[in-house]
Amino acid sequence: MPASALTDRLDAAVATGAEALFARQRADGAFVFGARRTSPLNTAGAVIALHFADPRGSAEAIGRGVAWLCRNQRDDGGWAMPGVPTEPLATAVAAAALQLTAAGPTGPDHTGAHPTGTTPDRTALGRTAPDRAAAVPAALERLAALGGAEGLPEPAMAALCRQLHALAGLPYQGAPRRLPLELLLLPGLSRRLLSLRLPIFAAQALAQAEHRRRGPVGRALDRLARPRALAVVRGAYEREGATGGFSTDPWLTALICLGLARSGRAPDLTAAAARWLRRAAGPDGSWDLMPLDVTWTNFATAALLEAGHAADPRLAATRAMLRAHQQKEPFDAFGCPPGFWGFSSPRSWPMALETAEAGSLLFRLPGGADDGHARDGIAWLTATQDSAGTWSLCVRDSKPGGFGPCPQMTAKAVGALLDSGAPPGDARVARALRRLAAVQRPDGSYEALWYRGGTAGTAAVLEALTRAGTTDAHRRAARRATDWLLRTRRDDGSWGAGDGGPGTVEDTAWALRGLLAAGLPPDHPAPAAAAHRLLEAQRADGGWPPSPVHEYIRGCARYADEGIATGLALRALAHYRTAARAQEGS
């Protein structure tokens, strides 16, 4: 393609992509994508929680949730979000939900009096009792074919499935794991070991302490630890404005509600969580994934800045929205200082990735050098940097795995520090890069907590290494990361997870930016083919189609997201256009 024709095509793609993003901007400046993102896992979790917390007051919500699960069971017997292959976790939890509610007063086959004095509309609620009874064996058969719950890569999720199946009277492998309530007597250790799971663990361990027989020493430890566990959950509840929701996430809220309900402790919190879950139910009876207002806004704004819209007056509201969503109070449950961002509301739980991205954006918007909110975000990142130099999700020095040190989050934090004006030789940057060079996988790739495969992490770390790397070790790591990206390019010019699977818009966009950052010219076959693939994939409305590359629960639950796909593709193409123009002018 002639250079002029390519430039024209890039200009058109960038312009229509930018307008596609602005079309999703709310009046408050946030970018929001998709009215509904229904989740079988969240729906099943909410049904189980309401079944234990308030079965009669929640009869209508439970019945509709059960009916939705029955209607949306796949032909293979399992469940997952749209576009995602059937997943064992969603299938295991849905089977437990259907079994638990089959005989009680909460199912759609119940013919007794409804709490409101009316009789539920059994036709509207979906399948009949025999249909629902057949759903459970089909789910268990599919679960076994997928390797069972024991095959889940997250031990905590395997243990949860054992617990739910034990409660439902379904077969399960192994014994339910004991949750040591006494761990909460050591706040620092419990935070580092559990991180984001701390309030969930506290609620579930409270429930287990009520139902598991223990000796005198164990009972004494439980008595000592109960106040601490209740304080953790109540602290998070009050920190979020006493709405009853936890991190604006139906899954987290359901797990905490379930634990509290079974423990019999804090009935006010149980009732509040149940009310929140009922309000969060969709009109079709399902529950969505958590909202991602800050995450979507970060991806959209980063793309628009790359596309040349830094001075666009429409982004003034977005800057105000990001400032308003920064949290000015500490989050004591996690031992986090103020100054962070979460992924959704101004009260959602702390996230290093969103904090790094939002802080970086505020620095890059007009007047960013003097932005106090951006400086507060950098102060939070500085305070939470792991002793080894990396960043974990929200708790400093979290246990590796789960929510522990993440190369991609570390690379993003390095980028925010550089955008704040820190030089490459800054001690925080140097420590991070030294650690990144040390944790590179033997094949040259890097991990990302929230994205499957190696492309997202490898591309992000490659950008950080080439922006700030100053040593031979940094340069060697960058070369190996570049080689990995080039080796994993698919024959059609796209990228996937690096495992031979299909290419995606998201992975192709990550790889394109990484390779350009590494110094490959835009006419090199790899970035040129990547740009072509992104141009070809753009939809008529200016956006890009998503793929299930995002980890909702690491290795266990994935989803696709249009806002992130469009933001990544537009940012990569805008960056490629800038590089192509520079090459033409040289």
Side-chain angles (χ1 to χ4, degrees), residues 60-457:
E60 186 72 16
I62 293 171
R64 291 188 179 279
V66 165
W68 187 92
L69 288 170
C70 289
R71 290 195 307 272
N72 287 276
Q73 187 176 25
R74 295 179 174 180
D75 291 341
D76 66 5
W79 287 266
M81 289 193 68
V84 181
T86 297
E87 293 176 329
L89 178 61
T91 302
V93 178
L98 294 178
Q99 183 72 10
L100 277 165
T101 57
T106 58
D109 49 311
H110 172 54
T111 57
H114 189 264
T116 61
T118 63
T119 300
D121 182 350
R122 293 169 60 193
T123 301
L125 291 180
R127 294 187 180 186
T128 63
D131 291 330
R132 185 169 65 165
V136 175
L140 295 179
E141 182 178 355
R142 183 57 182 158
L143 180 62
L146 293 170
E150 294 307 304
L152 291 169
E154 279 291 318
M157 292 299 102
L160 174 66
C161 290
R162 286 196 297 271
Q163 173 198 344
L164 295 179
H165 282 211
L167 292 173
L170 293 173
Y172 58 92
Q173 293 180 335
R177 186 176 64 176
R178 187 178 85 82
L179 303 177
L181 188 64
E182 64 270 19
L183 177 61
L184 300 180
L185 295 173
L186 304 170
L189 179 61
S190 61
R191 287 169 182 154
R192 292 192 298 273
L193 290 177
L194 299 168
S195 183
L196 189 73
R197 294 193 181 110
L198 180 62
I200 304 169
F201 178 94
Q204 295 286 333
L206 279 169
Q208 196 179 83
E210 296 298 322
H211 298 282
R212 185 185 290 270
R213 296 183 64 179
R214 300 192 70 190
V217 174
R219 292 195 298 271
L221 287 173
D222 285 347
R223 283 194 298 272
L224 288 173
R226 279 192 185 98
R228 170 63 187 163
L230 289 169
V232 166
V233 179
R234 190 171 294 279
Y237 166 79
E238 293 174 350
R239 171 67 178 68
E240 295 185 66
T243 64
F246 291 88
S247 197
T248 59
D249 186 341
W251 175 245
L252 294 185
T253 303
L255 293 181
I256 292 171
C257 181
L258 171 63
L260 292 175
R262 294 190 62 240
S263 77
R265 311 275 171 171
D268 59 324
L269 299 189
T270 303
R275 286 194 298 271
W276 188 92
L277 286 170
R278 288 194 294 268
R279 290 195 302 268
D284 62 353
S286 68
W287 277 262
D288 290 353
L289 287 182
M290 68 289 180
L292 294 173
D293 291 14
V294 173
T295 304
W296 285 321
T297 300
N298 285 346
F299 275 88
T301 307
L304 292 168
L305 292 180
E306 195 81 61
H309 288 271
D312 194 308
R314 289 174 288 185
L315 290 183
T318 298
R319 176 167 52 192
M321 173 264 178
L322 287 174
R323 288 171 168 173
H325 277 62
Q326 187 178 36
Q327 302 192 39
K328 296 296 188 179
E329 299 174 3
F331 207 119
D332 292 334
F334 301 115
C336 282
F340 60 87
W341 280 267
F343 53 73
S344 57
S345 73
R347 292 183 181 271
S348 62
W349 293 5
M351 302 283 165
L353 185 57
E354 274 70 17
T355 300
E357 291 176 334
S360 178
L361 292 173
L362 290 176
F363 278 119
R364 291 161 55 204
L365 284 163
D370 300 319
D371 194 307
H373 292 78
R375 295 287 170 192
D376 289 345
I378 292 297
W380 188 87
L381 289 172
T382 300
T384 57
Q385 186 175 20
D386 296 332
S387 56
T390 49
W391 272 268
S392 299
L393 180 68
C394 63
V395 176
R396 185 173 185 267
D397 291 332
S398 289
K399 176 185 176 182
F403 303 117
C406 172
Q408 190 232 13
M409 285 196 293
T410 299
K412 292 289 186 179
V414 167
L417 290 169
L418 296 173
D419 289 337
S420 76
D426 181 275
R428 297 162 295 179
V429 173
R431 288 170 55 222
L433 294 188
R434 184 166 57 248
R435 186 59 181 164
L436 286 174
V439 301
Q440 189 172 31
R441 290 168 169 166
D443 63 2
S445 67
Y446 284 93
E447 182 183 23
L449 267 181
W450 296 116
Y451 305 103
R452 65 97 177 90
T455 305

Side-chain angles (χ1 to χ4, degrees), residues 455-456 459 462 485 495 506-516 527 530:
T455 305
L462 183 53
L485 287 173
W495 269 264
E506 296 91 338
D507 289 303
T508 303
W510 279 316
L512 175 54
R513 279 189 59 84
L515 292 174
L516 291 175

